[in-house]
């Protein structure tokens, strides 16, 4: 079924994209310890342009309960502080004029459960995206078989390969979710 292989390749690429999106989203969910990646999604209003924080400052995690942000341009301190507070991460930055320190409070059990719930929602979005890809590619395969008068056996073989691809990607999403939940729930 070489004539149907491009559809399988396209499905694989789209499913990989869904997985990498989930990986990025899970990095933004705070677990027990400090990580510079926690602030990757923060955009700062810098001279009228929404700029990623990591392009305006050095972000580091010198210890498990602290993130430091050292801006390259000291005049952007207030904007960086505002962006961190508005990010929805529940962080309260402390500005000393040269460095922004962000202490990470110990997560309560209730907050851990909320974060685990958010992780589950993100994983479900990835699963839905993978299933939608399967549905769309399956429709394209059926159309191609009909238009090119290909044998039905090649369609069934391509659909089986597509289903195996879907199953493997969904199980990888489930594993990513379980790992993140374990990380969140570890005190």
């Amino acid at each position: 079924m070489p004539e149907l292989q491009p559809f399988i390749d396209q499905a694989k690429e789209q499913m990989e994209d869904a997985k990498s999106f989930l990986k990025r989203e899970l990095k933004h969910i705070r677990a027990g310890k400090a990580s510079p990646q926690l602030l990757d999604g923060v955009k700062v209003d810098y001279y009228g342009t929404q700029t990623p924080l990591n392009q305006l400052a050095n972000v580091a995690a010198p210890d498990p309960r602290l993130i430091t942000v050292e801006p390259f341009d000291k005049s952007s301190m207030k904007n960086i502080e505002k962006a961190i507070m508005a990010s929805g991460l529940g962080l309260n930055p402390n500005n000393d004029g040269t460095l922004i320190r962000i202490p990470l409070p110990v997560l309560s059990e209730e907050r851990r459960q909320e974060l685990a719930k958010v992780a589950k929602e993100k994983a479900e979005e990835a699963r839905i995206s993978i299933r939608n890809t399967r549905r769309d590619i399956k429709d394209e395969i059926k159309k191609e078989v009909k238009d090119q008068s290909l044998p039905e056996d090649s369609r069934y073989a391509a659909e089986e390969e597509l289903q195996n691809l879907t199953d493997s990607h969904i199980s990888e999403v489930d594993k990513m979710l379980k790992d993140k939940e374990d990380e969140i729930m570890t005190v």
Side-chain angles (χ1 to χ4, degrees), residues 11-12 15 127 129-135 137 159-173:
K12 187 173 189 175
M15 290 177 186
R127 286 190 209 102
S129 174
I130 289 169
R131 289 187 200 115
N132 286 344
T133 297
R134 176 190 60 193
R135 182 195 63 220
I137 297 296
E159 287 178 358
E160 185 177 332
E161 188 175 340
L162 184 63
Q163 185 60 48
N164 292 339
L165 196 62
T166 303
D167 293 343
S168 74
H169 279 80
I170 284 182
S171 70
E172 288 175 41
V173 164

Side-chain angles (χ1 to χ4, degrees), residues 95-121:
N95 177 351
D96 70 5
T98 57
L99 189 69
I100 297 174
R101 288 182 177 77
I102 307 166
L104 297 179
V106 176
L107 295 173
S108 66
E109 185 65 25
E110 186 179 302
R111 182 68 177 140
R112 288 178 190 280
Q113 289 173 347
E114 285 174 24
L115 292 173
K117 186 177 176 185
V118 169
K120 284 179 186 169
E121 290 169 3

Side-chain angles (χ1 to χ4, degrees), residues 2 24 35-36 42 47 60 70 88 96 103 111 124 128 140 159 180:
R24 280 193 310 274
S35 161
V42 176
Y47 293 109
E70 186 176 2
D96 70 5
R111 182 68 177 140
E124 186 56 30
I128 289 170
E140 288 181 34
E159 287 178 358
K180 188 63 178 185

Side-chain angles (χ1 to χ4, degrees), residues 19-60:
K19 258 186 7 199
S20 61
F21 177 77
L22 175 63
K23 191 178 287 184
R24 280 193 310 274
E25 289 295 308
L26 291 178
K27 277 184 184 174
H28 298 278
I29 297 174
R30 189 173 134 216
K33 57 185 182 295
S35 161
Q37 287 85 13
L38 185 63
L39 299 177
D40 278 355
V42 176
K43 299 263 194 281
V44 180
D45 181 24
Y46 187 66
Y47 293 109
T49 305
Q50 291 297 314
T51 309
L53 176 60
N54 58 8
Q55 291 180 11
L56 298 175
N58 283 328
V59 181

